[in-house]
Amino acid sequence: MPPAEDDIQALIEGCKKNNRQAQELLYKKFYVAMASVCARYISNQQDAMQVLNDGFLKVFKNIKSYDAGIASLYTWIRKIIINTAIDFLRKLPVAYTTDLSDIKEETTIENHVIQKMNADELLNLIKELPKATRLVFNLYTVDGFNHREIAEMLSISEGTSKWHVSEARKQLKQSIMKLQKIS
């Protein structure tokens, strides 16, 4: 009998034994959340699905090393998916600028402007950012990594990480303001 979908420990144990039903249930349980993570990093839907599936393959191969005392299963899987997305993006030509001369004051957007937008509109604006800027912005703003961690992950300087976040905010503000004028 396969484990119940909501019995996480039974799913983990089943996956450790390479039980295909347990793997399928685990995949289904975290599919929506992890597909959303992939969509933030990878703009092409087909590539995002490839990253998602590659990430889950890594999850199943490494499930024996999962330690519930260190992180929740969701957090552990999310980290694997993010690292798989970064590995995918590393294979693409991406330019990380080191020109920090454009950094000015913190870019802010009025809350009432953002509140009028739905999540899909905002996600589409983020997808329009240059690859490197989108990657750093997502790591910092959405996934909560600090600039030191991002710099280590991407082999860039902390200043370059800060520049990309600033640049993303600047470009997003411009895009949002354009949308406001249209509507």
Side-chain angles (χ1 to χ4, degrees):
M1 180 160 187
E5 185 176 345
D6 59 347
D7 188 354
I8 295 290
Q9 193 56 43
L11 284 175
I12 293 168
E13 292 306 316
C15 289
K16 285 180 179 181
K17 296 174 184 171
N18 284 326
N19 178 301
R20 299 292 182 227
Q21 290 175 321
Q23 290 173 336
E24 181 181 355
L25 289 173
L26 187 76
Y27 181 86
K28 286 179 178 178
K29 182 166 188 66
F30 291 100
Y31 173 83
V32 172
M34 296 307 131
S36 175
V37 169
C38 290
R40 282 198 317 267
Y41 288 96
I42 313 296
S43 56
N44 176 298
Q45 186 177 5
Q46 185 175 350
D47 290 340
M49 287 304 301
Q50 182 66 47
V51 167
L52 178 70
N53 290 326
D54 290 349
F56 269 103
L57 183 60
K58 290 177 184 178
V59 166
F60 298 138
K61 284 183 176 180
N62 296 295
I63 194 82
K64 291 178 182 171
S65 69
Y66 169 68
D67 182 354
I70 295 176
S72 72
L73 184 60
Y74 170 85
T75 302
W76 185 76
I77 292 173
R78 188 177 123 250
K79 184 173 183 179
I80 290 172
I81 298 295
I82 290 171
N83 286 332
T84 304
I86 291 170
D87 290 344
F88 175 84
L89 291 170
R90 279 188 179 132
K91 296 175 186 172
L92 303 175
V94 177
Y96 295 101
T97 185
T98 56
D99 178 16
L100 304 178
S101 62
D102 288 340
I103 293 184
K104 295 184 175 101
E105 75 281 346
E106 183 75 21
T107 304
T108 59
I109 301 171
E110 301 283 333
N111 281 341
H112 71 280
V113 173
I114 293 176
Q115 289 172 348
K116 292 179 183 178
M117 299 179 71
N118 68 42
D120 288 337
E121 289 173 323
L122 192 53
L123 183 59
N124 286 334
L125 292 178
I126 291 170
K127 284 182 177 181
E128 291 175 7
L129 293 171
K131 289 176 191 173
T133 301
R134 180 177 66 237
L135 174 60
V136 173
F137 179 78
N138 279 317
L139 288 169
Y140 182 79
T141 307
V142 181
D143 291 310
F145 291 100
N146 63 43
H147 291 295
R148 181 186 49 76
E149 293 168 323
I150 295 168
E152 288 174 8
M153 279 189 266
L154 303 178
S155 301
I156 60 175
S157 71
E158 287 183 48
T160 300
S161 177
K162 291 175 184 179
W163 180 88
H164 280 289
V165 171
S166 176
E167 183 65 17
R169 288 179 175 159
K170 182 175 90 175
Q171 289 182 27
L172 287 171
K173 180 178 181 180
Q174 290 170 351
S175 297
I176 290 169
M177 299 313 281
K178 285 180 188 174
L179 284 176
Q180 280 301 111
K181 290 179 183 176
I182 293 172
S183 52

